[in-house]
């Protein structure tokens, strides 16, 4: 899933400093799963903003709403009525950055703000801990590395083994980062496939990654 | 001869090679380089010029290499993958050759997190292994990665680093083997302090016949003080400083610690010279270039042999 985390409250307060009435929109997709922007987090953020503004003697009115997803036009359409019937100063999205962009794309007369920082594609290691697992390079090669991704998980995206800074299973960048090359080595050893790591992994074609420009997938079989 | 550099000739002739290291300044004063480099004249066979080491912005390696060439000294251009994509790498290699640079050391590069611009975007389009293969392709096939034929080839003596002390230890000789397969001609190792562990790594490399396929220059760095030794032991990932050296440094009064550090370094060089598979030493006297004459003299590495 897309893993995101909420921006600091101060930053969000600064965004809405000039507003009296806003719509805060959550998303029931990835950001609900990673506890960043679901119905619950929408409620918490709305309360926090209202309390802070009340303290300042400058109250703000906030309507709350959570869409099924913010990365599909059909759900974004559900904002049409509330936007028409209310005089919002802005919409604040609690989705990953796709959400606010979809809202902006659909409604050209309302200001849109992100309240989350979209961080990475990853998963939960344990309750409350998420880690990056994929960089979306557009050409998956993890089967060459025991099913682990050195592009996303090695700090230097090395494809041919650990750098000299790998120590005690940890990356030189931080003791909080596992050296993925150590993990790859251990796993390939376990699988009896160490020979594969002896082969030089060739230079990667990054044109399928963001380096080839913004990407689009067109499935003719699904298009109407 | 692949490149005909002085370093290559020394090694080909079977002499025990000595390379030095020069860190470019954090400024544009060429005199700083000249002063440092003079300490190394006639004491080492060629001089590594680091490429924004520890990700701190310094004068560019290639410019410093050119200054050394003008001084009649031989540089080893260090090139990291952190700051350049394949376009910049190949372009820089062409320029380096045109300026007279003949030795190039292919490195991944220290992560930008450690430097003075941790906010930067890093590159790592290639890794060090792929960089070695790129230089070899340019040299031996006369082609760019795009298959474009070069008008005027590059004849580099290709180097790379090896860290016998990184983890997982068992993979370290494999990584050396891969670098050789990728096309490396010489290896300079990380600073060695744990001689036993280095010996284990070297024995494995000898057993696999790897030391016959490339020249291994053992990296040494004199310890200036107990403080430096402790710092390297605790905070430099992939460095292994045994307690015994720290005890030795502690055993002398503070003013004499530097001398003791040099003594240790000289002993190490003498031991390394006796090891099968070690073709030379890479003496990294970090911000201590003026001690290189003393160390090389004491380690009986002088005079440096003549080659033509």
């Amino acid at each position: 899933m897309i893993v995101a985390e909420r921006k600091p409250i101060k930053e969000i307060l600064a965004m809405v400093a000039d507003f009296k009435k806003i719509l805060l929109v959550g998303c029931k997709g990835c950001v609900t799963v990673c506890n960043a922007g679901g119905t619950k987090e929408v409620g918490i953020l709305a309360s926090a903003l209202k309390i802070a503004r009340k303290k300042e003697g400058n109250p703000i009115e906030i309507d709350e709403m959570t869409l099924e997803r913010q990365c599909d036009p059909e759900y974004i359409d559900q904002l049409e009525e509330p936007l028409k019937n209310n005089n919002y100063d802005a919409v604040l999205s609690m989705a990953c950055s796709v959400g606010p962009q979809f809202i902006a794309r659909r409604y050209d007369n309302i200001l849109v703000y992100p309240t989350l920082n979209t961080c990475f594609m990853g998963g939960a290691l344990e309750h409350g801990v998420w880690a990056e697992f994929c960089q979306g390079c557009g050409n998956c090669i993890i089967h060459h590395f025991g099913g682990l991704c050195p592009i996303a998980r090695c700090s230097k995206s090395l494809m041919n083994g650990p750098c000299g800074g790998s120590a005690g299973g940890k990356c030189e960048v931080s003791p909080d980062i596992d050296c993925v090359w150590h993990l790859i080595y251990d796993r390939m050893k376990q699988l009896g496939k160490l020979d594969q790591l002896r082969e030089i992994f060739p230079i990667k074609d990054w044109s399928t990654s963001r380096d080839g420009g913004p990407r689009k997938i067109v499935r003719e079989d699904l298009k109407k | 001869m692949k490149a005909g550099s002085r370093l290559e000739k020394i090694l080909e002739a079977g002499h025990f090679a000595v390379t030095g290291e020069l860190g470019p300044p954090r400024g544009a004063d060429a005199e700083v380089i000249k002063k440092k480099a003079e300490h190394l004249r006639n004491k080492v066979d060629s001089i590594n010029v680091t490429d924004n080491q520890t990700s701190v912005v310094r004068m560019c390696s290639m410019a410093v290499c050119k200054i050394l060439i003008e001084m009649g000294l031989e540089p080893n251009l260090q090139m990291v993958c952190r700051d350049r994509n394949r376009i910049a790498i190949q372009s820089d290699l062409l320029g380096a050759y045109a300026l007279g640079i003949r030795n190039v050391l292919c490195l991944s590069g220290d992560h930008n997190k450690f430097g003075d611009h941790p906010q930067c975007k890093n590159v790592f389009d290639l890794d060090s292994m792929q960089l070695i293969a790129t230089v070899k392709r340019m040299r031996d096939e006369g082609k760019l990665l795009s298959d474009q034929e070069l008008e005027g080839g590059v004849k580099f003596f290709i180097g790379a680093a090896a860290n016998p002390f990184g983890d997982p230890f068992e993979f370290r000789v494999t990584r050396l083997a891969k670098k050789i397969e990728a096309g490396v001609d010489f290896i300079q190792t990380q600073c060695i302090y744990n001689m036993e562990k280095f010996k284990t790594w070297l024995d494995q490399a000898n057993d696999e016949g790897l030391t016959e396929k490339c020249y291994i220059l053992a990296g040494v760095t004199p310890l200036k003080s107990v403080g430096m030794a402790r710092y390297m032991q605790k905070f430099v990932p992939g460095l292994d400083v045994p307690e015994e050296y720290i005890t030795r440094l502690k055993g002398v009064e503070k003013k004499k610690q530097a001398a003791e550090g040099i003594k240790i370094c000289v002993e190490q060089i003498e031991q390394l010279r006796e090891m099968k598979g070690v073709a030379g030493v890479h003496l990294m006297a970090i911000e201590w270039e003026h001690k290189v004459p003393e160390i090389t003299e004491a380690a009986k590495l002088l005079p440096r042999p003549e080659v033509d």
Side-chain angles (χ1 to χ4, degrees):
Chain A
M1 68 180 144
I2 303 280
V3 181
E5 65 180 352
R6 207 192 72 197
K7 284 179 175 289
I9 190 80
K10 270 190 179 170
E11 190 181 342
I12 302 172
L13 276 168
M15 286 174 179
V16 300
D18 298 332
F19 304 146
K20 293 289 184 195
K21 186 176 181 183
I22 59 170
L23 176 64
L24 183 60
V25 189
C27 175
K28 291 185 186 167
C30 310
V31 293
T32 290
V33 182
C34 69
N35 305 79
T39 308
K40 188 177 154 199
E41 291 76 26
V42 167
I44 293 168
L45 177 60
S47 303
L49 292 173
K50 282 189 275 191
I51 291 167
R53 286 286 292 265
K54 202 173 170 187
K55 256 191 188 168
E56 290 171 19
N58 179 22
I60 185 167
E61 196 181 326
I62 302 178
D63 286 345
E64 301 171 26
M65 202 175 166
T66 304
L67 302 180
E68 202 58 33
R69 280 197 296 282
Q70 291 191 28
C71 51
D72 258 325
E74 63 174 295
Y75 300 113
I76 297 295
D77 285 347
Q78 293 169 3
L79 294 176
E80 192 171 353
E81 284 299 308
L83 286 176
K84 201 162 65 183
N85 300 334
N86 294 276
N87 201 15
Y88 294 122
D89 296 318
V91 175
L92 267 65
S93 168
M94 287 202 90
C96 73
S97 91
V98 178
Q101 293 187 64
F102 264 55
I103 298 169
R105 186 170 164 260
R106 170 72 173 73
Y107 304 102
D108 56 11
N109 55 357
I110 185 88
L111 294 167
V112 184
Y113 291 82
T115 60
L116 302 188
N117 289 323
T118 308
C119 299
F120 49 79
M121 282 179 271
L125 298 180
E126 57 182 284
H127 195 65
V129 180
W130 296 270
E132 181 166 19
F133 280 76
C134 177
Q135 201 173 297
C137 74
N139 184 10
C140 195
I141 52 174
I142 63 172
H143 52 295
H144 295 286
F145 310 105
L148 310 180
C149 181
I151 304 299
R153 298 172 67 187
C154 166
S155 296
K156 300 179 187 172
S157 295
L158 302 182
M159 286 164 264
N160 282 288
C163 75
S166 174
K170 296 297 175 186
C171 171
E172 66 175 16
V173 167
S174 161
D176 295 331
I177 303 171
D178 289 329
C179 170
V180 77
W181 269 103
H182 204 125
L183 297 174
I184 292 168
Y185 175 83
D186 286 348
R187 186 159 159 76
M188 293 300 257
K189 191 176 177 183
Q190 175 80 17
L191 294 169
K193 302 270 186 200
L194 279 180
D195 281 357
Q196 271 186 30
L197 294 186
R198 229 187 154 87
E199 290 161 24
I200 294 171
F201 195 84
I203 293 173
K204 190 166 164 64
D205 175 356
W206 293 106
S207 65
T208 55
S209 191
R210 237 292 302 178
D211 307 274
R215 292 164 284 177
K216 188 187 269 186
I217 294 171
V218 180
R219 283 274 304 272
E220 293 296 344
D221 56 327
L222 297 174
K223 275 175 75 178
K224 282 177 192 155
Chain B
M1 278 295 155
K2 286 165 174 161
S5 70
R6 176 180 163 80
L7 179 61
E8 183 181 13
K9 287 175 184 166
I10 291 273
L11 288 164
E12 281 282 303
H15 298 301
F16 191 75
V18 184
T19 52
E21 188 157 304
L22 191 155
R26 301 178 79 171
D29 186 356
E31 293 308 313
V32 177
I33 300 151
K34 290 177 186 167
K35 202 175 156 198
K36 274 187 177 182
E38 278 305 333
H39 295 301
L40 305 177
R41 189 186 290 278
N42 298 327
K43 310 300 177 199
V44 299
D45 301 312
S46 66
I47 302 167
N48 282 39
V49 181
T50 51
D51 180 6
N52 297 299
Q53 76 273 24
T54 64
S55 302
V56 168
V57 171
R58 293 167 183 278
M59 191 190 292
C60 90
S61 179
M62 203 191 308
V64 175
C65 286
K66 176 62 176 165
I67 293 170
L68 296 188
I69 291 170
E70 285 171 354
M71 292 174 73
L73 300 169
E74 180 171 289
N76 303 338
L77 174 76
Q78 294 198 184
M79 180 174 282
V80 302
C81 299
R82 176 193 61 226
D83 310 321
R84 303 173 176 82
N85 67 11
R86 65 193 75 178
I87 297 174
I89 283 174
Q90 294 176 103
S91 163
D92 279 0
L93 287 166
L94 296 176
Y97 191 80
L99 291 177
I101 294 163
R102 296 293 177 265
N103 307 312
V104 56
L105 193 80
C106 305
L107 305 165
S108 298
D110 296 319
H111 195 273
N112 40 296
K113 169 111 185 217
F114 299 107
D116 58 352
H117 294 74
Q119 311 86 347
C120 76
K121 200 168 192 295
N122 59 37
V123 183
F124 298 115
D125 178 20
L126 311 182
D127 65 20
S128 59
M129 205 71 69
Q130 297 161 344
L131 173 56
I132 294 165
T134 301
V135 184
K136 184 178 163 67
R137 180 181 169 88
M138 290 170 76
R139 182 187 71 191
D140 296 351
E141 296 175 40
K143 283 180 182 170
L144 296 176
L145 293 172
S146 62
D147 275 337
Q148 169 71 40
E149 301 232 1
L150 291 172
E151 295 164 27
V154 292
K155 299 293 175 198
F156 284 117
F157 194 44
I158 307 171
N163 184 1
F165 311 104
D167 287 323
F169 180 67
E170 310 82 62
F171 193 69
R172 292 294 153 181
V173 171
T174 306
R175 200 154 149 81
L176 172 66
K178 286 179 79 164
K179 288 191 174 178
I180 291 168
E181 197 191 324
V184 88
D185 301 309
F186 71 100
I187 288 283
Q188 291 171 321
T189 76
Q190 172 66 285
C191 319
I192 300 162
Y193 295 106
N194 186 335
M195 298 292 276
E196 265 179 50
K197 198 163 184 183
F198 174 69
K199 189 73 174 33
T200 308
W201 177 83
L202 187 67
D203 286 345
Q204 287 176 26
N206 277 324
D207 289 347
E208 294 194 25
L210 300 176
T211 53
E212 285 159 26
K213 293 178 184 163
C214 80
Y215 299 105
I216 308 274
L217 308 187
V220 287
T221 291
L223 295 165
K224 292 182 195 175
S225 62
V226 174
M228 174 185 175
R230 275 269 180 253
Y231 179 83
M232 292 182 105
Q233 184 187 45
K234 286 198 175 143
F235 300 113
V236 183
L239 259 193
D240 186 343
V241 184
E243 206 54 39
E244 93 182 66
Y245 286 145
I246 292 175
T247 311
R248 262 183 74 174
L249 291 171
K250 272 186 178 166
V252 299
E253 56 182 296
K254 201 155 190 186
K255 269 200 298 191
K256 289 184 178 165
Q257 282 178 4
E260 187 66 17
I262 288 175
K263 205 174 149 200
I264 291 171
C265 182
V266 169
E267 287 171 21
Q268 282 188 298
I269 294 171
E270 284 168 348
Q271 289 168 33
L272 290 163
R273 196 169 186 167
E274 296 305 313
M275 292 183 191
K276 178 180 175 269
V278 174
V281 284
H282 177 46
L283 180 54
M284 293 167 274
I286 304 162
E287 295 305 318
W288 227 21
E289 290 84 0
H290 62 283
K291 293 289 184 185
V292 168
E294 181 185 337
I295 296 166
T296 46
E297 179 70 43
K300 301 181 189 71
L301 296 169
L302 302 180
R304 297 310 306 147
E306 290 298 322
V307 285
D308 48 38

